[in-house]
Amino acid sequence: MAAGTTSPVSPGGDGVLDLLVVGGGVNGVGIARDASGRGLSVTVVEAEDLAQFTSSSSSKLIHGGLRYLEYYEFRLVREALQERERLLRVAPHIIWPLRFVLPHENAVRPRWMVRLGLFLYDHLGKREMLPGSENVRFRNSDGTPDSPLGSALKPGIRRGFAYSDCWVEDSRLVVLNAMDARERGATIRTRTRFLDARREGGLWHATVEDRRSGAREVIRARALVNAAGPWVERVLKEGVGSATAKSVRLVKGSHIVVPRLYEGAQAYILQNDDRRIIFAIPYERDFTLIGTTDVPLEGAPGPVVISPEETEYLCRSVNRYFARQITAADVVWSYSGVRPLYDDAAANASAVTRDYVLDVEAPPEGDGFGPALLSIFGGKITTFRRLAEHALEKLAPHLRRVGREVGPAWTGTGVLPGGDMPGADFDRYLTGLRARFPFLGEALSRRLARAYGTRAERLLEGATTMADLGEDFGGGLTRAEVDYLRREEWAVSAQDILWRRSKLGLHVPEGTEARLAAYLAAQAGEPGRTGREEAAGTGAPGAAATPAILAARG
């Protein structure tokens, strides 16, 4: 049987797993998907929800990282550029091309430097589907408009560049990887905390705890993958007693969302005088996403929120370039995440490498080797798939020593759930979906196709009217969709649904969250808790709307 199409794999008759993965972010579930497709038995344990922290707090981009060229990160940029179109083909519903406009100010970086960087960006990685970069003249010498790309910018900004990268629904990318891993035999256990692990008899004996019931159990595995993100050091030091010298550097990145700043589908990349860059990106139809900051985080990782200083910094960055000025009062929502970067001793948080380091420990034990521990330091969402391949390459020799063969790599062409559209043509698929379910209307059919791809038809199966989909909780979120998310995507709380499986929290009317929480609680047979109450109880990052957006909902 070909790699990537294996039958579901369960632990052997002795109950021993090949891999126990700690962490339900993009790297953890990416490794689980890759490994299960190679014929290995895998379990993932995640203390909260999938993508609850770092992997849902990104700038939502699949990109090479243009600014990383300035730090000579050529290997990372090349790998990321190669991944853009590969991922675009395997998940065309949640990943799509995005044109970036870079207004130029010579005081920040000379024009020749930017042009050279874009030339390298065009040629470091194979590019077939995305157009290359170009010079753009926003206004003529007499100040008259020359390109609509400059219509939102201040009149004095006359020239710039344009290039292409991709957008991604980051938290959905995590869920789809987890779904594919499960369909290939992996077990995904959310709300399950990893407590500790010890090596014994050539295996890992890991203790985990179900956070809802309090029940504990011991899982035995041939290898342990530490994909705990910001908590990777805690797992090493407190969980397994490792004395590794490698460490992470925690950097907080914050974003703000404001009412739409400009017309058009283009994004903007803005150069600041501190040499950092800020993105302004069309977001959820009615908004603009602005970010990110880079703030060193001291102390233990955990939920973080944006500071007034970060908000002011992002507003100031936008106001430097855009004709329309914004203030903190315009912010309708914000989110912050902690990036666990590999500590390369860089003096500036913005200069810390975004590349990843995979560290394998496999001490001698008896006549063979002790069970392997692989820890992940750093990384970025764009390169998660290659990171997973590299992780399996490092683990394969250790697994072979104990008689477990690892199949060949396969994820480069393995389509993610819902992405099996002919020719990876989203628009053609959407046209067909609308024809099959005309009662959905234009906006809802597009949202469902973007979120679920071809899996939307499972959600809609048998429906001929909106009434067939059950109660509408607001914003087109029906009972049929909620039940699908509970059944297929590990959604437990209102926050899971409104802020991670979707961003409907920005669109639904006041009262939706409470009604949704009550419905979910009734299905689970327990008292209802809203997303905010769950966040307070579990340490989830704040994702509640601000008073400004509640007022905007009317």
Side-chain angles (χ1 to χ4, degrees):
M1 187 173 289
T5 59
T6 55
S7 298
V9 178
S10 299
D14 57 1
V16 176
L17 289 167
D18 292 320
L19 297 185
L20 174 62
V21 180
V22 179
V26 71
N27 290 330
V29 297
I31 290 171
R33 176 187 182 234
D34 193 333
S36 57
R38 297 182 191 229
L40 300 177
S41 57
V42 185
T43 288
V44 176
V45 292
E46 162 56 50
E48 305 288 349
D49 183 28
L50 296 172
Q52 182 148 325
F53 293 99
T54 305
S55 293
S56 62
S57 301
S58 75
S59 296
K60 326 296 184 192
L61 300 178
I62 297 292
H63 67 134
L66 179 61
R67 75 179 183 89
Y68 304 152
L69 292 173
E70 204 165 38
Y71 300 105
Y72 308 106
E73 298 264 21
F74 297 117
R75 190 212 69 79
L76 174 63
V77 174
R78 180 184 294 109
E79 183 173 277
L81 289 171
Q82 291 169 345
E83 286 298 289
R84 287 183 314 182
E85 295 193 13
R86 185 176 284 126
L87 294 175
L88 185 57
R89 287 187 174 93
V90 303
H93 49 322
I94 61 164
I95 300 173
W96 58 88
L98 188 60
R99 196 68 170 164
F100 285 80
V101 178
L102 194 165
H104 182 254
E105 281 191 340
N106 205 58
V108 181
R109 292 172 179 85
R111 188 174 182 81
W112 67 263
M113 180 183 292
V114 178
R115 182 66 263 180
L116 175 60
L118 288 170
F119 176 84
L120 291 172
Y121 208 68
D122 282 343
H123 294 89
L124 272 175
K126 188 177 181 181
R127 180 174 50 81
E128 296 177 354
M129 301 172 68
L130 298 174
S133 61
E134 61 179 334
N135 294 304
V136 180
R137 184 168 62 188
F138 304 130
R139 289 175 177 81
N140 298 309
S141 57
D142 61 0
T144 58
D146 189 60
S147 168
L149 297 178
S151 60
L153 301 174
K154 289 182 174 179
I157 302 174
R158 297 188 174 183
R159 300 185 67 86
F161 305 90
Y163 68 96
S164 291
D165 269 318
C166 291
W167 169 269
V168 64
E169 300 287 2
D170 53 4
S171 53
R172 290 213 57 76
L173 180 66
V174 176
V175 170
L176 296 184
N177 272 271
M179 289 174 65
D180 203 25
R182 179 184 59 197
E183 290 169 12
R184 298 174 190 278
T187 298
I188 311 295
R189 298 177 57 174
T190 63
R191 273 80 179 183
T192 302
R193 191 196 316 272
F194 169 83
L195 298 178
D196 55 47
R198 69 184 189 282
R199 290 181 171 99
E200 182 179 312
L203 299 172
W204 282 106
H205 293 245
T207 304
V208 301
E209 178 184 71
D210 186 310
R211 296 187 60 252
R212 287 165 289 190
S213 68
R216 294 186 178 186
E217 65 179 288
V218 174
I219 297 175
R220 294 182 297 159
R222 296 180 179 90
L224 180 65
V225 175
N226 176 8
W231 293 269
V232 63
E233 277 193 72
R234 179 179 296 178
V235 168
L236 281 170
K237 295 176 180 178
E238 300 177 15
V240 300
S242 171
T244 181
K246 292 183 172 64
S247 61
V248 291
R249 187 162 174 180
L250 302 179
V251 176
K252 181 175 71 164
S254 298
H255 296 75
I256 59 175
V257 175
V258 300
R260 192 173 185 120
L261 280 173
Y262 56 87
E263 296 301 317
Q266 73 277 5
Y268 289 85
I269 176 172
L270 311 175
Q271 304 179 85
N272 286 341
D273 50 12
D274 61 3
R275 302 189 70 81
R276 291 205 68 255
I277 59 96
I278 298 297
F279 294 110
I281 307 169
Y283 191 58
E284 289 290 313
R285 301 189 313 275
D286 303 323
F287 305 97
T288 299
L289 174 66
I290 300 165
T292 178
T293 59
D294 272 324
V295 178
L297 185 67
E298 304 297 333
V304 290
V305 296
I306 194 169
S307 68
E309 292 76 17
E310 288 175 284
T311 299
E312 181 184 357
Y313 175 84
L314 294 174
C315 290
R316 188 168 64 247
S317 300
V318 164
N319 292 341
R320 176 174 179 167
Y321 289 92
F322 283 92
R324 177 180 167 186
Q325 303 287 281
I326 62 172
T327 69
D330 294 302
V331 177
V332 297
W333 183 53
S334 66
Y335 64 88
S336 301
V338 179
R339 297 192 290 276
L341 307 179
Y342 176 67
D343 191 353
D344 61 358
N348 187 319
S350 297
V352 180
T353 181
R354 265 54 175 178
D355 210 343
Y356 54 84
V357 172
L358 305 179
D359 184 52
V360 178
E361 298 179 38
E365 185 171 293
D367 295 331
F369 288 84
L373 166 65
L374 182 143
S375 298
I376 300 165
F377 297 85
K380 59 201 296 283
I381 200 164
T382 303
T383 53
F384 85 93
R385 193 202 63 82
R386 286 292 289 137
L387 182 152
E389 281 190 343
H390 290 151
L392 268 295
E393 289 169 7
K394 285 184 171 290
L395 288 170
H398 302 280
L399 291 169
R400 290 190 185 110
R401 287 191 185 105
V402 292
R404 297 296 294 150
E405 195 57 40
V406 179
W410 64 277
T411 58
T413 56
V415 176
L416 284 167
D420 52 337
M421 301 171 181
D425 190 334
F426 174 81
D427 290 330
R428 185 169 66 178
Y429 173 75
L430 176 59
T431 298
L433 184 72
R434 285 174 174 164
R436 290 188 292 278
F437 301 94
F439 63 88
L440 292 173
E442 184 174 346
L444 182 56
S445 58
R446 174 174 285 275
R447 181 179 73 76
L448 294 178
R450 274 295 182 207
Y452 307 108
T454 60
R455 297 289 175 102
E457 301 189 40
R458 299 188 184 187
L459 187 161
L460 298 167
E461 187 176 4
T464 58
T465 67
M466 282 299 297
D468 292 333
L469 299 178
E471 178 184 358
D472 187 336
F473 292 93
L477 176 65
T478 64
R479 188 176 67 213
E481 184 174 1
V482 171
D483 289 346
Y484 174 88
L485 292 170
R486 291 178 59 247
R487 183 177 65 249
E488 301 291 338
E489 297 194 6
W490 299 275
V492 173
S493 73
Q495 192 177 48
D496 294 348
I497 292 172
L498 296 177
W499 295 105
R500 285 184 287 277
R501 304 308 183 276
S502 75
K503 290 298 181 286
L504 283 169
L506 285 167
H507 304 287
V508 296
E510 191 169 3
T512 289
E513 187 175 353
R515 287 196 297 125
L516 178 58
Y519 175 76
L520 292 170
Q523 298 304 302
E526 59 188 38
R529 295 205 300 174
T530 67
R532 292 186 188 87
E533 289 168 341
E534 181 182 269
T538 65
T546 65
I549 197 168
L550 294 178
R553 290 174 186 161

